[in-house]
Structure formats: C-alpha cells, structure tokens
Amino acid sequence: MLLRSLSEHAAGCFYGSELLASQLWIFLQQTASGDETQRVKALQETCYQQLIESVDNRHPRRYRLNDISQLMNQLCDGELFHTGRLPWLTKLFDQLMVRNGDLICYRETEVQAYARLTAELDPTLLVAWNLSQWLEESSNPTANDIQRIVAVQDTFFAPPGNPVQPFAEGHVHIGGVTADSAILDEYLLANPASKLPENKRSTPWHLQQTSQLNNLLERLRALLWLLLDGKSDDPATCIYQQSQRENSAARIHPWQEEWANLVPQLSMPLHKARLPDWEMTAKVHAVNEVGSPGWLLSQFAVAMKCSLRGRWLWLQLYLCRCYRSPQATPQVRVAILCWYQSLNEFRRRLIMDGQGLTRFSKHYFNGPLGRGSKALRKDNIRQLLSVAGDVVEIKSHPGAFSADFAADFATTLAQETGFILPDAPYIFGEHEIVPDAKVHNYMQQLERWHFCGHFSRSAMPLQRGRAPVANMRALWKSAIELMKKADNTAAWNRREFMMGYRNPHFHFQPARWFRGLDVAGDENDLRIEWFAPVLRWLRRGLISRPEGECASAGFHLSIHAGEDYSHPLSGLRHIDETVRFCEMRDGDRLGHALALGIEPQWWMARQGEMILPADEHLDNLVWLWHYAVTLSGRLPLAQQVQSQLARRIARFFPVSGWQSVPDLAGCRDSAPLKHENVNPEILFRAWLLRKNCHFRLMQLHGGTPLSTLEFSALPDFTFLKSPDPAAVLYANRHQHLSAASAQPLVIVRIGDEWQAQSDHIAQGGKRTMGDSGILEDIDTPAEVEFMHAVQDYLLDRYDRIGLIIETNPTSNIYIARLEKHREHPIFRWNPPDETLLAAGEVYNRFGLRRGPMRVLINTDDPGVMPTTLRTEYLLLREAAIESGISRTVAERWLEQIRQYGIEQFHRNHMPVFSPL
C-alpha cells in the first residue's frame, strides 16, 4: 500500500472528502435566509471540523490531532469561497509540474510525489487550475493558442517519449487501461436517471457500496447539469428561458443570472434532466470573449460533440475559470468545490489501493464500478502506444479474442496513428488492395500488438470456509473452443484486414495475434495445478493446422504467480508449482513473483500473524524440507533446519486427513495409510503428482489414455494407478477436496527455538486454541533465514532455464506489502549495481547466485493503479537514486531493461500479414 505523508493526506481530503462534500451539498440545498456572509462563515467552520474528522477517519489514530488541525486551519481560512483562491493547487503545481513550451508534464525528479498525489486527486485539476491562472493573467490569448495547448496535453501528463526509444508493454490487462475521462463518458454523461445496478448475488458490502456510489453519482450529475446550464423537460424549472438564450451571447458567465435560488434546480428529479445539446451550447457561447467561462464552455461542447481527446481538460478548465472569476458568488464556488470533492471521492473508488488480491478480485474487480469500456478504446490505445515504435502484449480472457476485437483495435489504432486503411481500387474491392508503401505502413501498425489470453482463477467456494474447486469441465471446454476459434477463417474476412484470406496479395494468419497464455486472478482461490494440464495441452507442438497456414511457433507462458500470499512459503511454492507443473521453459515469464524477492523476515515483520489452512501449511513444510535436503551438501543452514522441518511435518500430517478416503461413492478402494508409513519424501512425491489432471483421470473410468489431450493431462498415468503411497495420497487428497472436507486453521508466528519446542507446540499447537479448531506453529529464525536462501537458489535455477520475471512496480505497491518503490524486489533480482551480487554481498549472502535475473517492467492495470509505462521507468530510476545509485548508472540499467523488453516482444511476435 502506497505510503503518503500527512500533508498529502490533507490535500487529498480537502479535494476528495465525502464528509465535506456532503456538508457543502446540504448548504447548497438550503434556501438562503438572513445574512449570507454569516452562512458562509458558519460553513467555513464546518469545513474545518469535517476535514479534521476526514483525515482521522481515513487513517485512525495515525496522526496527532493538533498537527491535523493546524494544517486544516490554513486551508479553511476566512477567504474560502469569498475569493477565487483555492489552497495548495498553485503550490502543488509548482512543486510537481513543469511547463515545457506548450506541454505541461510532471517533473521527472518529483515523479514519486506525483504518483502519490494521483492516488488522491485527479491531476487534471492541477493543470486546469494553472491554465485558468494563465488565462487570467495573460493579455488576450488567442483562441488558437488555447485550443493548441489543451489539445496537446497527455491524459496522465507524463513527459513526452523519445521517438528513437520505443517501449514494450509486456503485461497489461486491457480492462485496466483507462483515462480519467472514463468517469465523464461512462458515468457522468450517461443516462441522467441511470443507476449502478444491484447484483442479486451481491454481498452486503457490495449493496452498501452501490447505494453510496449511486448517491454520489446523483450529486455529481445534478451539479454538473447546473454548472453546464443544464435543462429540464419541465418548463417551470428550466434554467434557460428562450429570452435568456437570445441574450446569452452578451453574458460573460453562463451562470450569471440563474443562481439566485438553487433549491429548485438541485432538487429536480434526474429523470426530468437531460444532457445539454452540445451543438446548441457551442453556438450560444462561442461568441463570448475568448478565454471567458462562456467561451470555454463552448469549447467543451465542441470537444464532446466531436469526441476530442481534450474534453476532460476542457471541462475542468471551464470550472476552474468559473471559480476564479471575480463575478462568481460564494454559492457558485461552493457548488464547484462540492463537485470536485465528490468527483475525487468517486475517482478514488475506481482506484485499487489495499492489501491483497482477494480485496482486488472480490471488492474491486467484481465491485459496482468498472473502468473497462469499448467506447474508450481510443484513449486506451493512446495510453498504451504513445510513441510510434511502442509495442504491447495485451491480456484479457481468451473469449475476448475475436475478429471483432481485432478489427476494433485495428481501426482505432489506425485513426490514432494516422495510418488509415487505403481506399480500395473499386467499391467492395478491398480484397484487391495491393501492398504498396501506404498499405505496408498500415500493416506495420497492426503488427504492434499481440494478445495473451488469461484463464481466471476466480471461483466461488462450495461452502463458506471451504476451499473452492475449479470447474474442470468448463475449463477444458473453453480450451478446446479456443483452438477451434483460430480456424474460423470466414469471420476474419473484413475490410479492416483488407478482406483477410480473400486477398491474394498477402498471406493473412490472424491466429498469430494470439501469442501467450496466462492464469490470472486470486491465486489464493485456485492453485495452478488445476490449469497446468490445460496449458500444457494448448502449447503442445506439431499440431494439425488448416491447409495453407504457414508454420508458427507455439504459445509462450506469462503466468501470474507469487503476487499475494498468506505466508512466504506459500508464495514461493506457488511459483515453483507454476514452473514445474506448467513445464515452463526458456522465454516463459513469471508475473509479479514477489514471493521470490521480498525478504521473508521483512515480510513477516509487517504481516505479523500468518493464518493459513492446515493442508497448505503442511504443503509448505514438505516443500521447504525438500529444498533443505537438496541444499544440505552446500549450505550448513539447510542441515540445521532439516530435522526440525521433519518433526513439524509429522505433527501436521494427521491433521490433513489424507491418510484415509472420505466415505464417497465411487472412490478407489485402498487401505488407509498408516501415519508412521508416510514420510516427507512420500509427501513430496505426492505433491509432484499434482501436475496430473484428476478430472481427466476420473473421465477414463479405469481405462487408459488414448487421445493427445489425455496424454498431456496425465503424464504420470501409469504411476497413478500403482499402489505406491504417493499415488494413494494423491487420490485421497482429491477425494477430500471433492468432499469439501474442513481443514483447521494454523496461526504461524516467528519465534525462537525454545518457543518452537514448547509443550503445546510439540503436541500439535492445541493448548490455547483447541476449542476453536485453530492450531499454532512457530517459524524459527533459522528457518526464516533458510527461506531467504531458497529464494536465492530458485532465482539462480530459474535464470539458468531462461525464465523472466514481469515486474509491475506500481501495481505491487498498491496491492502488496510494499510502501515505496525502492522496496520493490526488482533491485534484488536485477540490481543496477551488479557488485551487490558477489558472493557474500547483500543480494547473494549465501553464494547461491551467479548473476542477475532477467526482468521486464510493465504497468499491469494503468487505470486501476494510475500510471504509465514511462512513469514506471522514472519511478524506478528515482528509487534507485534514493538507494545510493547514481543517475547515470540507473539510466544505463533501465535502458538495458527497455531494450530487452523490445527484444522479447519481437521474439514472441509473429507476422500476421506477409506480402506475397
């Protein structure tokens, strides 16, 4: 979770506090009576108290109340709402932003502070406030100047990319790529009466969030209709009468005569409201003085009518100009500030900021809000491919890949880059287009991306407290349909692809756009063992293809693993299972893999108690025991922990219940395994057997594999049918999973050897918590240190087989137990200063590593966690400098990673269009 300072929290609360916005909303709905100055003064005092409460509520008991109150006293002074000044915006702009000619972008040296700010409020507000100040202070700016400057600004205000240094985005989910204009297009300017739907299966938390967000959305819309000269279908409440429209050209401010009493407008039912007529609004206000609020409103209307990229900035510039206007009343300023506070609170709900993937998948991803939209694809592409040579590998579920998806992507990409599909030689003659220079440029644009399909780990548990089980029938069905979809040639004969297969002038092979396979979602729900057989079958070689297809390489793997875990051993084992069960090879990639880099002792100190099911705890101990045996000849520490782990395994194996089969119809006949006959080696061999698909084993009904699919799914079929104890354990475990057998919880803590050998721990950890079914266990310092050694050993092994780690720094900061970018394990995997990898140095304490691990830098979800790819590089550069690395060394290090990303894209990409 991103760590912020008190002043940053204070600024975030001032411009995004729901408590304060509610108070301003109440003020606006009250009929003016008595002395208006006293009403505003009372509101200032209310704001002061509410802001103190907001900061303390967001971060309970973290800050001293007098520190908070002193800051808020500066924000809520006597000038608030009486003048066109808003606190901190100018200071924040000067500190974080810079004008570079017509461009406004954040300062590269302040990128970390900027990243923290964007989690609290929309950075467009800073830019709009600065531009409004420029309009106020400059002498007669021309319309062309203002239009040019607004049009050139980037959505995230990142410094412009170098055209000779393209970047490769290798891990980004298309549904998580959106600009802040998504709020405008998808929510604010949607049907005025529409509400966020309530899912019948929603939890009480989701229902509460939906209700809160609908109230927030209703307030935002009501204020926006009013600030945009909104109209009602009811003539009695219509803000604009016809006579006012005729005279509006003479008025500088659209709100000049309509704010005497806001109560009728703000209380107007939304079903009577309607969106402004953009064409009429543009014409009515276009004759106003250039740079005035009215003129800016006309420009916003034009941007909305034409779907221009700067529409979000035009809106905020208009509102800032209104707030700064000397003619604005306190009531107008209260309405604008209320709108901004409600907007930033709404925006904050769109940003994932909290611990763990479970929070992401259940509260954010399946929450009432979403940021992915087909209508915003153009903004998405502009954010992904901002420089001519940029390339991207897009992640989404396999069903999203289709001719419609590729055609939509191709169209918007061509429009954004200016390489439009050339005209056909005659009507309906797209299949006769000859590959000349223009056609070649168009096709090159369509080769700048490819697709990685991810299967979802999300699954509903059969019962509360029971581990979820994958729907293997549906999973295999989706894999088979995926292979068939690529053979559907007719769907791809479209104009966007110059009629595809029908064009005799080039070879068209759209299946080559689909290059990668992934498993995404909450890895705490479904383990990789459920998906590994499917992935192995999908990437098998030498398969039958339609006649005329050219030879193609198979899928590469890019699998999420070790991102979120309840214990460092769980995360490490998940990664090792992914590598082993999926048979990963040279060029395959591990997504996130934090468990392979964050030091266990450091992580445990932040986590505190570690709570996990008993079977998972047993798996962890068995897995670590195996590596203690493996490294016992190289590392004295491994010998030290080996016997301790064996004793712990012996204690927890009886709790698993795997010795005997539950009383289920159709289970295999086998004598119950005796506890004394099961040792750690047998348990480890049973763990290795999990790469086999139990669903396919049961589908054979005692027969033998016949198809390629069955052989891929059951590589150890012969052994599984044997009476070996490992095979029996494999079968017993799956029977327990099918029966949804309850597993007790284990609370694991760090303790010394004496605590680990205390009586109640040695007897199973049941002394203090036996009545609740919760067990206890202790990780000793030696075992925690050995986990660190295993990380180094695996990094060396994975590097030798050619694996790559996909790092997603900002995403990890928002979700994992990291607070700053310099804490990210990329500095351990691939340090800028390689001398730190020498034997005995900080990143190679046990002498098990021989060099750096190959890494890529990506964004993951650059709308869910606001960032851009170039921003990620700058964040890591500043983090490296903070760690004592010189700027030159840090930039050289990042340049190597950038070039390697481009190389990996082209290594995996295969040409979709091949001129004949």
Side-chain angles (χ1 to χ4, degrees), residues 119-137:
E120 294 283 352
L121 57 89
D122 181 4
T124 309
L125 172 59
L126 292 184
V127 175
W129 186 257
N130 183 263
L131 289 178
S132 68
Q133 181 178 358
W134 167 65
L135 291 177
E136 190 177 81
E137 296 175 353

Side-chain angles (χ1 to χ4, degrees), residues 274-336:
R274 55 191 174 91
L275 291 176
D277 182 330
W278 299 123
E279 186 172 359
M280 175 64 73
T281 302
K283 289 180 179 178
V284 166
H285 295 290
V287 295
N288 280 294
E289 180 184 350
V290 172
S292 68
W295 184 85
L296 293 172
L297 179 57
S298 73
Q299 296 303 301
F300 170 64
V302 170
M304 289 302 303
K305 180 174 178 291
C306 303
S307 297
L308 300 181
R309 61 182 295 181
R311 57 193 182 280
W312 186 238
L313 179 54
W314 278 118
L315 172 61
Q316 300 217 37
L317 179 56
Y318 161 67
L319 294 176
C320 287
R321 191 76 173 93
C322 289
Y323 194 98
R324 299 178 72 101
S325 172
Q327 287 77 26
T329 65
Q331 204 173 29
V332 171
R333 294 188 175 115
V334 169
I336 293 173

